[in-house]
Amino acid sequence: NSAASFTKSTSVTLSLSATGRGGRTVTGYYLSTSESTPSDSASEWVSVTPAASYSESVSYALAAGDGSKTLYVWFKNDLGVISNPASATITLDQTIPTATIETPTTSPTYPSSSSSISLSGTASDSGSGINNVYYSYDGGGAVMPKQPILGLLGQSAVFLLQTKVTS
């Protein structure tokens, strides 16, 4: 997935490449989550058009469940010789981050006649972490934290707190 550390999707794209040695051609690859070297007759080998140099992007479906996922790939040549494995690790993070407003209140409403209020709260994500926190009011556009919201005197406003994870 373009060397990403995190993904929210179980579908990833792997960039595979191999070069045959000593005039040999690459004839197949084998993808696995196990680091055990496959036999050259395993049914999971994917045949490719024999070539001295092979390169392709392939889709792979990660197993469900948040956490670190390591994939291994082996290549074999026209003599059935299997390469050493190459590996890549990515963290699957499908858990939605949480965000709460804590002050001036944790109540769903906060009546105020002030022309400005200060909000504070928390945002957390147990997987990839929080990259940004945005809030908006009354359906207005996203506003970055610590920017004033003007013109609310005598009006009611509904605030929406939204997070963006690192991935």
Side-chain angles (χ1 to χ4, degrees), residues 114-137:
S114 175
S115 62
S116 68
I117 62 170
S118 294
L119 301 174
S120 67
T122 59
S124 64
D125 182 75
S126 60
S128 57
I130 300 295
N131 189 26
N132 286 304
V133 178
Y134 299 93
Y135 61 89
S136 64
Y137 65 95

Side-chain angles (χ1 to χ4, degrees), residues 19-26 51-53 77-79:
T19 302
R21 293 186 182 170
R24 307 296 357 148
T25 58
V26 178
S53 183
N77 68 17
D78 52 333
L79 295 177

Side-chain angles (χ1 to χ4, degrees), residues 2 43 48 50 56 66 71 73 87 93-94 122 124 127 130 152 160:
S2 301
S43 62
V48 300
E56 184 177 10
D66 285 359
L71 299 173
V73 62
S87 65
D93 181 10
Q94 294 184 305
T122 59
S124 64
I130 300 295
L152 295 182
L160 171 66

Side-chain angles (χ1 to χ4, degrees), residues 29-134:
Y29 67 87
Y30 184 101
L31 288 170
S32 178
T33 56
S34 169
E35 61 184 312
S36 298
T37 302
S39 72
D40 72 333
S41 61
S43 62
E44 294 88 355
W45 280 98
V46 176
S47 295
V48 300
T49 301
S53 183
Y54 166 79
S55 180
E56 184 177 10
S57 292
V58 298
S59 294
Y60 186 87
L62 298 173
D66 285 359
S68 181
K69 312 288 183 180
T70 302
L71 299 173
Y72 301 89
V73 62
W74 292 263
F75 297 93
K76 69 177 176 176
N77 68 17
D78 52 333
L79 295 177
V81 176
I82 299 171
S83 70
N84 290 324
S87 65
T89 301
I90 194 164
T91 299
L92 178 62
D93 181 10
Q94 294 184 305
T95 301
I96 297 171
T98 60
T100 58
I101 296 175
E102 296 173 346
T103 57
T105 181
T106 57
S107 171
T109 61
Y110 178 70
S112 175
S113 60
S114 175
S115 62
S116 68
I117 62 170
S118 294
L119 301 174
S120 67
T122 59
S124 64
D125 182 75
S126 60
S128 57
I130 300 295
N131 189 26
N132 286 304
V133 178
Y134 299 93

